[in-house]
């Protein structure tokens, strides 16, 4: 109490700002879209005792449910809410810590922190960890305070490594840099940081029911998702070109501020502040500009705005602090295209916090709210009751996206590892899905939805090896009902693949698709030469890969994923073996043209045939 008493006013201010900036502004129901589907799936996986890595592969790990309290299961909603309170309080406390030093007044710092904390709603842990690392590197905390900050940074890193691996790696980088440049003795900081991280990893992994044997699989598969994202998910909003220049400008200003903040510190510490800012700018740039749209760009600008606050002691004049803050804030608000009143609504946000806390504290109300959310999902999916009866107690996988169907209809889930097939960005991930399809212990039934894809992608080309495996191991016993079709596991019906023809082609030049050798064979192609390689690997590391496309008979155009283009893309399927419309895999084309953002180059198209009984 003697330690905390001097900080009581700041802690009280942080608590009030937490209420005034509470980020969960909805009703906690899963959204009725692609994001809502995977958010449900994360919680469903833990509920069903699946292991992340061998059984489930996604951007988020076993603690990913902590990032948002959603009404899917009571325990996950309550834990997510409690973790959200802790993270938001820590964010508000760190912002007030930096703002108070820059602005000189606790009251002014708290008022400014309200819209900032509300704006940093996507990656608050990055801002918290960055501020902690800056404080350690610059010696702004010492003694017990420094050890406590190191312990907290370690715990946060461990949790994020199990929640979202790439964010956890960013936090780990902050911790390593802080340890390398902090004032001596550094060993006193290394012990609590390492202990906090290891404890969080062990407790988080075991508490979520994960197998110790799945650890390596989780790490490898998560890296596959991280590495493939920049190759397959690039997107550019045409109205936001100015934001790249703004990002470059703000990164440079931040480097100058970090250098200025190191005046009077040892050279090692000064360089450490530069390194911390560089890691913050690079990792949030990747998060915000691979898919460059308002929602993702906000990650970069909001995180940098929070990061600049960590250097609260750097400006020698208060006017400089206001000017710097205004510059970063303008970029953030401009990128979000939102109005300030959306972020400055303290009483509304505090009211929502109170409503959500009361709902989750009452078991009956929580159960009723979950039932209402499930009913809303059922209505959205329009899944025919006859299919529910046909599935019965058999295990199911859902293609290509809407994994929320399993939860809504209370089905038995046995997913392919990459349960949303668009995320099978790499050959390894595609092969994992294909192996699960071929495995007799895999799903008994696949429920496929006819739905609009994003980025103009072709559903038949997602996880192409797994798609061919589904064609060979699953039949449609009946017609579609609405926008869904039921596929049942059957005896394998495909013969061995045989080379049909190899064509040396050019980017942008049409290539003829050879006919099948007989009326019962399918034709597929392996495309070599469009994988990311050479200097493009550097471009992809720093930003994103060039976009690939495939054109059919000079007309219809679809996005092509470079990492799986050589896995065997189905082009022709005999009508008797294909699925009924609109689920046909046959592309009804005589030629294909592969392009790569206007570039020129050589291709090799290896066509194969495969008999289907």
């Amino acid at each position: 109490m003697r330690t905390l008493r001097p900080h009581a006013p700041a802690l009280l201010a942080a608590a009030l700002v937490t209420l005034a900036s509470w980020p969960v502004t909805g009703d906690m129901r899963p959204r009725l879209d692609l994001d809502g589907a995977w958010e449900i799936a994360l919680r469903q996986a833990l509920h069903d005792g699946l292991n992340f890595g061998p059984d489930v592969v996604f951007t988020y790990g076993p603690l990913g449910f902590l990032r948002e309290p959603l009404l899917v299961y009571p325990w996950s909603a309550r834990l997510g809410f409690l973790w959200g309170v802790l993270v938001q309080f820590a964010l508000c406390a760190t912002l007030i810590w930096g703002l108070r030093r820059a602005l000189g007044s606790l009251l002014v710092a708290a008022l400014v922190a309200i819209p900032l904390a509300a704006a940093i709603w996507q990656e608050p842990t990055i801002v918290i960890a960055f501020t902690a690392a800056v404080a350690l590197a610059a010696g702004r905390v010492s003694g017990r305070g420094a050890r406590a900050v190191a312990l907290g940074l370690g715990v946060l890193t461990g949790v994020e490594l199990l929640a979202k691996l790439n964010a956890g790696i960013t936090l780990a980088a902050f911790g390593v840099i802080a340890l390398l440049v902090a004032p001596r003795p550094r060993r006193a900081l290394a012990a609590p940081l390492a202990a906090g991280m290891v404890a969080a990893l062990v407790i988080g992994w075991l508490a979520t029911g994960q197998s110790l044997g799945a650890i390596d699989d989780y790490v490898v598969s998560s890296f596959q998702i991280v590495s493939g994202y920049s190759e397959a998910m690039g997107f550019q909003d045409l109205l936001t070109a100015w934001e790249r220049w703004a990002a470059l400008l703000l990164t440079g200003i931040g480097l100058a501020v970090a250098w200025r903040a190191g005046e009077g510190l040892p050279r090692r510490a000064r360089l450490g502040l530069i390194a911390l800012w560089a890691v913050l700018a690079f990792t949030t740039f990747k998060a915000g500009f691979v898919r460059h749209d308002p929602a993702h760009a906000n990650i970069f600008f909001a995180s940098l705005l929070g990061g600049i606050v960590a250097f609260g002691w750097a400006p020698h004049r208060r006017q400089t602090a206001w000017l710097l803050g205004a510059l970063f804030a303008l970029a953030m608000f401009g990128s979000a295209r939102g109005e300030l009143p959306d972020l400055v609504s303290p009483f509304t946000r505090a009211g929502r916090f109170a409503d959500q806390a009361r709902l989750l504290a009452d078991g009956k109300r929580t159960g009723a709210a979950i039932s209402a959310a499930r009913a809303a999902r059922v209505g959205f999916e329009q899944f025919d009751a006859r299919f529910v009866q046909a599935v019965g107690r058999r295990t199911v996988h859902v293609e290509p996206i809407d994994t929320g169907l399993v939860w809504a209809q209370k089905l038995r889930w046995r997913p392919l590892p990459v349960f949303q097939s668009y995320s099978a960005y790499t050959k390894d991930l595609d092969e994992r899905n294909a192996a699960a399809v071929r495995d007799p212990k895999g799903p008994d039934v696949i429920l496929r939805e006819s739905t609009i894809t994003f980025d103009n992608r072709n559903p038949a080309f997602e996880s192409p090896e797994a798609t061919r495996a589904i064609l060979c191991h699953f039949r449609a016993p009946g017609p579609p009902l609405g926008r869904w079709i039921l596929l049942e596991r059957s005896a394998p019906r495909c013969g061995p693949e045989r080379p049909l023809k190899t064509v040396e082609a050019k980017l942008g030049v049409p290539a003829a698709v050879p006919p099948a050798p007989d009326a019962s064979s399918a034709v597929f192609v392996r495309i070599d030469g469009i994988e990311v390689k050479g200097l493009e690997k550097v471009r992809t590391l720093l930003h994103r890969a060039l976009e690939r496309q495939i054109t059919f008979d000079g007309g219809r155009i679809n996005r092509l994923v470079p990492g799986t283009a050589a896995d065997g893309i189905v082009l022709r399927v005999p009508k008797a073996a294909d699925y009924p419309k609109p689920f046909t895999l046959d592309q009804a084309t005589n030629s294909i043209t592969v392009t790569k953002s206007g570039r020129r180059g050589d291709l090799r198209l290896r066509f194969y045939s495969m008999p289907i009984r």
Side-chain angles (χ1 to χ4, degrees):
M1 290 301 297
R2 284 195 299 269
T3 302
L4 291 176
R5 191 176 295 117
H7 305 289
L11 294 174
L12 176 60
L16 294 175
V17 174
T18 298
L19 294 176
S21 63
W22 181 242
V24 186
T25 56
D27 59 6
M28 296 192 295
R29 291 186 183 185
R31 289 164 288 187
L32 301 177
D33 58 10
L34 177 149
D35 290 333
W38 63 253
E39 287 170 340
I40 291 172
L42 292 179
R43 293 151 179 82
Q44 184 79 45
L46 294 179
H47 178 269
D48 293 350
L50 300 180
N51 284 307
F52 281 74
D55 300 330
V56 175
V57 178
F58 198 62
T59 306
Y60 295 88
L63 292 183
F65 72 92
L66 291 177
R67 288 190 156 226
E68 187 173 0
L70 290 180
L71 293 167
V72 178
Y73 294 103
W75 62 270
S76 61
R78 289 174 181 138
L79 286 176
F81 183 82
L82 292 174
W83 178 252
V85 172
L86 183 61
V87 168
Q88 192 67 10
F89 177 81
L91 173 66
C92 295
T94 57
L95 290 175
I96 290 173
W97 178 82
L99 290 168
R100 189 177 184 182
R101 283 163 170 74
L103 306 179
S105 167
L106 176 60
L107 177 60
V108 174
L111 291 175
V112 174
I114 292 174
L116 295 190
I120 306 171
W121 60 275
Q122 296 196 75
E123 296 291 348
T125 56
I126 287 181
V127 174
I128 297 167
F130 177 79
T131 305
V134 166
L136 293 173
R140 292 287 161 174
V141 287
S142 58
R144 290 182 180 178
R147 291 192 291 274
V149 169
L151 177 65
L153 178 56
V155 170
L156 198 58
T157 300
V159 171
E160 282 296 277
L161 285 169
L162 296 182
K164 191 177 183 184
L165 185 65
N166 54 342
I169 292 172
T170 299
L171 268 61
F174 290 158
V176 170
I177 294 171
L179 287 181
L180 291 176
V181 304
R184 297 178 184 275
R186 300 187 196 97
R187 188 176 301 174
L189 300 180
L193 192 148
M197 183 175 67
V198 171
L201 283 170
V202 172
I203 294 172
W205 189 259
L206 296 179
T208 53
Q210 304 301 296
S211 167
L212 292 177
I215 294 175
D216 59 336
D217 217 342
Y218 169 69
V219 174
V220 171
S221 60
S222 296
F223 271 113
Q224 288 285 323
I225 290 283
V226 172
S227 64
Y229 182 83
S230 297
E231 294 185 5
M233 296 295 288
F235 174 80
Q236 178 61 53
D237 187 332
L238 297 179
L239 300 178
T240 57
W242 67 270
E243 292 177 2
R244 284 176 290 183
W245 295 105
L248 182 62
L249 175 63
L250 295 184
T251 299
I253 292 175
L255 290 172
V257 171
W259 180 254
R260 182 69 177 272
E263 286 184 344
L265 297 177
R267 183 175 179 81
R268 181 187 66 251
R270 198 173 195 182
L271 293 176
L273 296 181
I274 293 286
L276 287 170
W277 182 264
V279 170
L280 175 68
F282 172 70
T283 55
T284 56
F285 177 82
K286 290 283 288 186
F289 285 82
V290 171
R291 291 193 66 78
H292 188 182
D293 55 32
H296 286 88
N298 174 261
I299 297 174
F300 174 81
F301 290 107
S303 298
L304 258 62
L305 177 58
I308 205 72
V309 170
F311 297 112
W313 72 87
H316 288 250
R317 294 188 303 169
R318 199 159 298 165
Q319 295 89 334
T320 305
W322 282 106
L323 182 61
L324 283 172
L327 185 62
F328 279 78
L330 282 173
M332 186 197 70
F333 291 129
S335 68
R337 303 179 195 172
E339 297 181 0
L340 186 59
D342 295 333
L343 301 178
V344 187
S345 52
F347 297 106
T348 300
R349 289 176 179 265
R352 285 173 177 157
F353 173 89
D355 291 341
Q356 292 164 8
R358 283 194 295 267
L359 187 151
L360 293 173
D362 187 327
K364 289 184 178 180
R365 289 186 62 195
T366 303
I370 290 174
S371 296
R374 181 179 272 120
R377 191 89 197 178
V378 168
F380 165 75
E381 285 159 344
Q382 300 177 0
F383 190 70
D384 197 288
R386 287 172 287 181
F387 275 166
V388 178
Q389 296 173 356
V391 170
R393 295 298 298 162
R394 291 184 292 179
T395 57
V396 303
H397 166 69
V398 182
E399 281 278 325
I401 290 171
D402 196 359
T403 48
L405 175 73
V406 174
W407 171 73
Q409 298 290 349
K410 300 183 179 180
L411 303 175
R412 295 180 63 200
W413 195 38
R414 185 166 294 167
L416 305 187
V418 188
F419 55 82
Q420 287 187 328
S421 55
Y422 75 90
S423 294
Y425 311 130
T426 68
K427 182 177 180 61
D428 177 74
L429 297 175
D430 188 15
E431 288 176 346
R432 287 169 181 253
N433 274 6
V437 172
R438 300 186 190 105
D439 188 348
K441 296 181 181 179
D444 301 318
V445 171
I446 292 178
L447 300 171
R448 193 171 188 94
E449 181 185 16
S450 175
T451 184
I452 298 174
T453 59
F454 63 96
D455 291 353
N456 195 32
R457 301 209 354 200
N458 190 325
F461 292 0
E462 307 287 31
S463 194
E465 186 176 347
T467 296
R468 286 189 292 111
I470 291 172
L471 177 64
C472 294
H473 291 80
F474 284 81
R475 297 175 182 264
L481 295 177
R483 64 174 188 256
W484 293 89
I485 191 170
L486 183 148
L487 308 178
E488 291 182 334
R489 182 176 289 277
S490 65
R493 57 176 181 156
C494 295
E497 60 182 62
R498 299 187 179 114
L500 189 59
K501 186 178 182 180
T502 298
V503 176
E504 301 296 333
K506 298 283 187 182
L507 284 169
V509 178
V513 177
D518 54 66
S520 64
S521 291
V523 174
F524 62 93
V525 63
R526 301 183 189 276
I527 306 175
D528 301 321
I530 66 163
E531 63 273 13
V532 176
K533 59 185 178 180
L535 290 177
E536 193 182 2
K537 280 190 172 291
V538 178
R539 183 188 196 277
T540 304
L541 173 66
L542 298 177
H543 189 199
R544 61 176 179 239
L546 298 170
E547 184 175 323
R548 279 81 164 159
Q549 294 181 328
I550 184 168
T551 305
F552 304 93
D553 287 342
R556 177 167 52 95
I557 301 175
N558 285 132
R559 181 89 172 259
L560 200 58
V561 176
T564 59
D567 289 359
I569 296 172
V570 174
L571 295 176
R572 288 181 174 163
V573 180
K575 186 175 182 180
D578 207 352
Y579 302 126
K581 292 182 178 181
F583 299 94
T584 52
L585 298 179
D586 186 271
Q587 298 301 307
T589 186
N590 294 310
S591 68
I592 58 173
T593 306
V594 179
T595 58
K596 185 173 76 172
S597 296
R599 301 303 199 270
R600 297 180 180 180
D602 297 325
L603 293 173
R604 174 175 294 172
L605 306 179
R606 293 179 290 139
F607 292 96
Y608 292 80
S609 66
M610 180 176 66
I612 306 179
R613 291 191 300 273

